[in-house]
Amino acid sequence: METRLFASLILSGSAWLALAGPNLYRIETVAGSADMGDGGPAIAAEIGNIQGIAVDPAGNLYLSDTDHHRVRKVDTRGIITTVAGSGVPGFAGDGGPAASAQLNLPYGLAAGPAGDLYIADLGNNRVRRITPDGLISTIAGTGSRQPAGDGGPASNAALSAPRNLTLDSFGNLYISEFERHRVRKVTPDGRITTIAGTGARGFSGDGGFAVLAQLAFPAGLAVDASGSLYIADSQNQRIRRITSRGMISTVLGGVPATALLTPTAVAVNREGAVFVLDQSHTILSLTPSAAWITAAGTGAAAFSGDGTSASQAALLCPNDLALGSSGDLYIADGSRIRRVDSSGIIHTVAGDAYVHAVGDGGPALAARLLQPASVALDTLGNLYIAETGAHRVRKVTASGAIETSFGNGVPGFIGDGAPSAGSPSSGPAGVAVDSTGALIVAEAGNHRVRRIAAGRVSTLIGTGDAGTTAEAKRGPETRLRAPRGLCVDSLDAVFVVDTGNHRVLRLGPDSLVTLAAGAGDAGDGGDDGPARAARLNQPLACAIDANGNLLIADTLNHRIRQVAPQGTISTIAGTGVPGVSGDEGPAALARLSAPAGIAVDPGGSVFISDTGNHRIRQITPDGIIHSIAGGNWSGFTGDDGLASSALLHSPGGLQLDRSGSLYFADTGNNRVRRLVPIASAAASLTELSVLNAASLLEGPIAPGEILTIFAAGLGPEEGSVGSFDSMGRLATNVDGTEVWFNDVPAPIFYAQSAQLNVQAPYAVAGAATVKMEIFRKGRSLAAVVLAVKEAAPALFPVAANPDGSPNSSESPAPRGGIVTLYATGEGLTDGSNLAGQIAEPPYARPRLPVALLVGGVGAELLFAGAAPGMVGVLQINARLPGDYLPRGRTPVMLTVGSVSSPVFWLWLD
């Protein structure tokens, strides 16, 4: 029967997943953690770039840890905690605890007098509120950027990049709509209106009504004692004020006497002094007596001056301002918060800037990393990490302990011959190891390449001055500009990706530097000609293959280029147009987005960090490209599971070890992670590995779940597909192989020496555990005790579009259309619950409730029941959410009862 044959082929598909195509990988973290110092002193905590701050009437300080997608609180004792955000970017959690919700680039904050906290969730195009009981909800914005909603409920209105917030004494909330060039007002009853800006960028309207005026990227907001609203009109280089009658005027900027440079924050104290933050790295103030003074900062972009006068202290990266109830001025200074007290003295009150509490001496999995960019391995199994954001190179020993090899957390330079331990570094971005075990480091901030051997540091290439030099000079005589990538060939020649000069240089054994690729100016072109004359654009990484070819991540050309030993350059992946496409097709026709990492294995497979697409891709020796980890959405999920179901965030440098495991800098997640080939892991098993056949992940099993079992000697060498009897029941003995769950035999879809696909009997329902035993021609091979749950859902990696075509990057599903998905692990049904039985009408449905999230939004389920003509498969027909979902590869998650599946990826048009 055709349906039975179709069932057999589909259900042996897990064998295809494991054995065909590119490698299948499990993903795990090897260094870095989510520990940011919560529960301890705020001055010892690690914080990303702080874009918003607010102080409540009780003196608690709130900050947007924007890089980490969290909002954090520093209480009056100086203890820091996270009050909102799981650390994974996205939109989820409304109606529940704010600490478990997902935010996406939180920016401005406002603290209400009753304990409410308002968050400009910029990346989600929403404003959200945390009530005093810790629950979060959306009060403005639908997530769409389309202009709509004035005069109605704010929750039904569209916002475009809400950036900053403030409250007035009447409880009105003001929102700067940065990309729509407007300021909007939400009244206490939840209605929204526009109070300033026409929606068109420009400058006009002073002296008239604010709603008729033009703004240009409005940012910071403040309200004075009279109720007037101040706006940092950033691209108009002004601070503008709206009176209670709705009239607008310029109060600062626009004239030489109070000139401003892109002001982004404003604050007004009770006395009427106006404080302004702009790009001059100073805080300027207009006093009540109309004096225009410097309140903080020297104009230098640096960190200094704590304990001294704020006007003599340097600010590194000021982003926002807030005033406390006592009049103290708080400054969001990069990854620190600093306070200027009433006597004008400045202090740091939050943020360690990754200088001290980073985890050295302990396990790497508990350490804190900041923007790891690349990785390298030595022959002893030590892992080196270029931690660009913290100005360090970290070393993870083979035992899993972490230490600092180079750098002290403060950017700087020390001359040759100094001990590497404790010596400053500046922006280390690339690392490599030569055949002697010496560590090579590309210091982007110091415009040098350094070598560390026997605990001492020396300069290989670079004068320290950014620039270019004619070739055939010695390394220390050759100028570089922000070098970021390194690779070493079999002769110990060092290749340097001289990123700022758009070229790759070679330092040969003769100590002379020559040009390997790149004409030195940004551009795209030169394929099939001399690499030295080709144009590159901000290349970031390189690798050398077994044939001596130089591979280059030509990052802003969105290509992978190859330089043959004779010096000819070609493109092996990427069309030059940023995007994501081409999986399972020729790599040269695929689209990439800002690739920043590259590695190659001895067999000729090329691995790419497709950084802008938040994924890792593999080009197999046949020239076909495949996605093997991550997807279009940034995030952090999937550890200890299938890499193709995991989420990554801007992956960077890559490094393969001798076993085929691929290490990579998961830069945006501040971690280093590893892809371990499942095939090689399975081949070395001495015990059974029992996996969900759809996700290929271990875990508790569910009644009726389809399972894949890996071990050795399980069945016939060639493999056999199970047959059906006249009643439509799948055989429990295939070529002498049987699998029993307690005293019940399991139907077998497929049996082969290293792999079995079986269906767990429904009879396991209600048990906490079950003994699974495998027999081969009457002899017991092995047994294992498995945990049992009522559901263990996972989606098979196949989906059908509305027209029946397989869903893929080349054939995406229309948003709003109906797709068909397949899953297993749904547990007991309302049918007969006979394992191995082909589904026939009426089709059984799960007893537990079923839900499907597409891109974090609930999809309409039209059918969720037994797949016709198949065994143990749940078919889901769902109408996709509408046009507000983005195009491209979109995460899908199935929930049965209280258990959610791993992420499955669907392509949307």
Side-chain angles (χ1 to χ4, degrees):
M1 180 181 295
E2 183 177 348
T3 56
R4 298 181 186 182
L5 177 60
F6 177 64
S8 298
L9 292 175
I10 289 291
L11 296 178
S12 62
S14 54
W16 168 80
L17 282 172
L19 300 176
N23 289 345
L24 198 66
Y25 292 90
R26 177 176 55 83
I27 190 169
E28 60 190 13
T29 295
V30 296
S33 73
D35 177 16
M36 308 299 295
D38 277 354
I43 57 173
E46 309 306 342
I47 309 170
N49 201 18
I50 304 166
Q51 294 289 356
I53 51 176
V55 183
D56 71 15
N60 298 300
L61 173 66
Y62 297 88
L63 62 98
S64 285
D65 190 351
T66 306
D67 288 348
H68 298 129
H69 310 283
R70 304 172 190 259
V71 173
R72 304 172 77 179
K73 172 184 175 181
V74 181
D75 67 19
T76 55
R77 301 169 300 153
I79 303 301
I80 192 168
T81 53
T82 293
V83 296
S86 64
V88 176
F91 174 72
D94 272 2
S100 301
Q102 285 181 282
L103 308 176
N104 190 359
L105 299 176
Y107 257 66
L109 302 173
D116 291 330
L117 180 69
Y118 298 84
I119 306 167
D121 195 359
L122 183 143
N124 284 323
N125 295 302
R126 292 171 166 91
V127 174
R128 302 171 83 177
R129 177 176 61 200
I130 305 173
T131 54
D133 58 2
L135 300 180
I136 193 169
S137 61
T138 295
I139 65 159
T142 62
S144 170
R145 290 172 175 260
Q146 299 302 316
D150 267 1
S155 58
N156 293 338
L159 298 175
S160 182
R163 192 184 193 281
N164 291 85
L165 308 173
T166 195
L167 287 160
D168 67 17
S169 59
F170 299 103
N172 296 302
L173 176 71
Y174 299 91
I175 306 166
S176 60
E177 199 175 1
F178 190 68
E179 293 182 359
R180 195 71 67 190
H181 315 292
R182 299 187 293 191
V183 175
R184 304 181 75 179
K185 172 182 172 182
V186 179
T187 57
D189 64 356
R191 314 295 286 186
I192 192 169
T193 55
T194 296
I195 65 162
T198 63
R201 177 184 177 181
F203 174 73
S204 68
D206 271 3
F209 288 107
V211 291
L212 302 178
Q214 286 181 292
L215 309 175
F217 297 100
L221 303 171
V223 175
D224 69 13
S226 70
S228 292
L229 176 69
Y230 292 73
I231 305 168
D233 193 359
S234 66
Q235 292 302 312
N236 282 322
Q237 319 298 332
R238 288 169 163 83
I239 301 297
R240 302 174 81 177
R241 178 175 59 201
I242 304 174
T243 66
S244 57
R245 295 187 298 111
M247 309 298 287
I248 192 169
S249 62
T250 294
V251 294
L252 292 170
V255 295
T258 60
L260 297 174
L261 179 63
T262 315
T264 55
V266 61
V268 186
N269 68 14
R270 286 174 294 191
E271 291 74 34
V274 180
F275 298 88
V276 182
L277 180 160
D278 70 3
Q279 297 303 302
S280 65
H281 296 278
T282 57
I283 310 300
L284 303 168
S285 176
L286 182 69
T287 68
S289 61
W292 184 234
I293 64 171
T294 296
T298 63
F303 171 76
S304 69
D306 271 2
T308 65
S309 170
S311 62
Q312 302 301 311
L315 304 176
L316 182 63
C317 184
N319 292 320
D320 199 19
L321 300 173
L323 287 161
S325 57
S326 63
D328 289 353
L329 176 68
Y330 292 84
I331 305 168
D333 189 13
S335 57
R336 297 177 174 93
I337 294 180
R338 305 175 78 179
R339 185 187 78 228
V340 181
D341 63 25
S342 57
S343 60
I345 304 301
I346 194 168
H347 317 266
T348 294
V349 296
D352 175 65
Y354 289 79
V355 173
H356 301 106
V358 294
D360 277 357
L365 287 171
R368 304 173 192 175
L369 302 178
L370 180 62
Q371 297 167 14
S374 63
V375 292
L377 288 162
D378 66 18
T379 57
L380 300 177
N382 298 305
L383 172 71
Y384 295 91
I385 305 167
E387 191 184 2
T388 307
H391 307 288
R392 290 180 172 88
V393 176
R394 311 287 287 278
K395 173 183 175 181
V396 180
T397 65
S399 64
I402 195 167
E403 60 191 48
T404 295
S405 291
F406 182 37
N408 59 13
V410 179
F413 173 76
I414 195 168
D416 289 349
S420 60
S423 292
S425 179
S426 183
V431 284
V433 178
D434 68 17
S435 65
T436 70
L439 177 66
I440 315 295
V441 182
E443 287 189 281
N446 281 328
H447 310 291
R448 289 178 166 93
V449 174
R450 315 295 296 281
R451 184 176 189 267
I452 298 169
R456 299 281 170 172
V457 62
S458 60
T459 296
L460 271 182
I461 312 175
T463 65
D465 297 320
T468 59
T469 304
E471 61 179 321
K473 298 284 188 181
R474 296 180 63 83
E477 300 169 347
T478 301
R479 291 199 295 175
L480 305 173
R481 191 186 303 275
R484 300 189 65 89
L486 294 169
C487 52
V488 180
D489 72 9
S490 60
L491 300 176
D492 270 349
V494 177
F495 291 80
V496 180
V497 181
D498 190 9
T499 301
N501 286 321
H502 315 287
R503 61 184 184 173
V504 179
L505 303 177
R506 177 183 183 271
L507 176 67
D510 58 2
S511 299
L512 297 181
V513 177
T514 56
L515 179 64
D521 59 334
D524 184 14
D527 271 357
D528 302 320
R532 295 162 55 91
R535 301 176 76 195
L536 309 177
N537 194 350
Q538 297 284 321
L540 287 178
C542 65
I544 308 291
D545 72 13
N547 297 317
N549 296 301
L550 170 66
L551 303 176
I552 304 168
D554 192 1
T555 304
L556 292 191
N557 281 327
H558 313 288
R559 301 177 188 266
I560 302 299
R561 314 285 288 275
Q562 177 177 283
V563 180
Q566 66 268 28
T568 302
I569 195 169
S570 59
T571 294
I572 64 168
T575 64
V577 178
V580 56
S581 69
D583 273 351
E584 313 312 320
L589 301 180
R591 287 190 180 186
L592 310 175
S593 180
I598 190 166
V600 59
D601 71 15
S605 281
V606 177
F607 298 85
I608 304 164
S609 280
D610 193 0
T611 306
N613 289 321
H614 309 290
R615 63 175 68 186
I616 292 175
R617 302 173 84 174
Q618 177 186 2
I619 306 173
T620 43
D622 57 4
I624 303 301
I625 194 168
H626 320 266
S627 288
I628 60 173
N632 287 351
W633 294 55
S634 63
F636 177 75
T637 63
D639 264 5
D640 301 318
L642 198 63
S644 58
S645 296
L647 290 177
L648 319 178
H649 191 344
S650 304
L654 303 173
Q655 174 71 60
L656 283 155
D657 69 12
R658 286 175 291 185
S659 72
S661 291
L662 182 68
Y663 293 75
F664 68 96
D666 195 358
T667 305
N669 282 321
N670 295 314
R671 289 170 169 87
V672 172
R673 301 170 84 180
R674 176 172 61 193
L675 305 184
V676 180
I678 286 178
S680 63
S684 64
L685 288 175
T686 57
E687 298 179 354
L688 292 176
S689 179
V690 182
L691 314 175
N692 181 295
S695 66
L696 291 183
L697 300 180
E698 291 184 317
I701 69 168
E705 179 183 345
I706 303 173
L707 304 172
T708 293
I709 303 166
F710 289 122
L714 297 177
E717 287 296 326
E718 296 301 320
S720 295
V721 174
S723 61
F724 292 86
D725 64 20
S726 59
M727 301 296 293
R729 296 283 299 276
L730 191 60
T732 58
N733 185 312
V734 174
D735 200 10
T737 296
E738 297 176 89
V739 182
W740 289 69
F741 289 75
N742 290 340
D743 56 353
V744 179
I748 301 176
F749 301 104
Y750 176 81
Q752 191 261 346
S753 178
Q755 177 178 338
L756 301 175
N757 293 340
V758 306
Q759 184 184 21
Y762 287 98
V764 305
T769 61
V770 63
K771 177 185 176 183
M772 187 193 78
E773 189 167 8
I774 300 175
F775 295 87
R776 177 71 178 147
K777 297 184 176 179
R779 182 174 64 88
S780 176
L781 296 180
V784 64
V785 175
L786 304 173
V788 179
K789 291 185 68 173
E790 60 180 359
L795 289 156
F796 284 99
V798 291
N801 293 326
D803 62 0
S805 64
N807 183 264
S808 68
S809 59
E810 303 302 324
S811 179
R815 291 167 294 168
I818 298 171
V819 296
T820 302
L821 306 171
Y822 299 94
T824 190
E826 72 274 19
L828 290 175
T829 72
D830 61 5
S832 61
N833 291 314
L834 293 175
Q837 182 70 54
I838 288 179
E840 296 178 346
Y843 299 111
R845 297 172 182 261
R847 293 185 184 178
L848 296 170
V850 178
L852 190 74
L853 288 179
V854 180
V857 180
E860 179 188 358
L861 293 184
L862 306 177
F863 173 76
M870 300 176 71
V871 174
V873 176
L874 175 69
Q875 179 173 319
I876 301 150
N877 299 339
R879 187 182 302 280
L880 297 172
D883 289 345
Y884 52 85
L885 282 181
R887 291 180 170 86
R889 202 168 181 234
T890 302
V892 178
M893 185 177 294
L894 172 69
T895 299
V896 179
S898 61
V899 186
S900 295
S901 71
V903 171
F904 165 71
W905 297 95
L906 193 68
W907 290 92
L908 301 185
D909 185 8

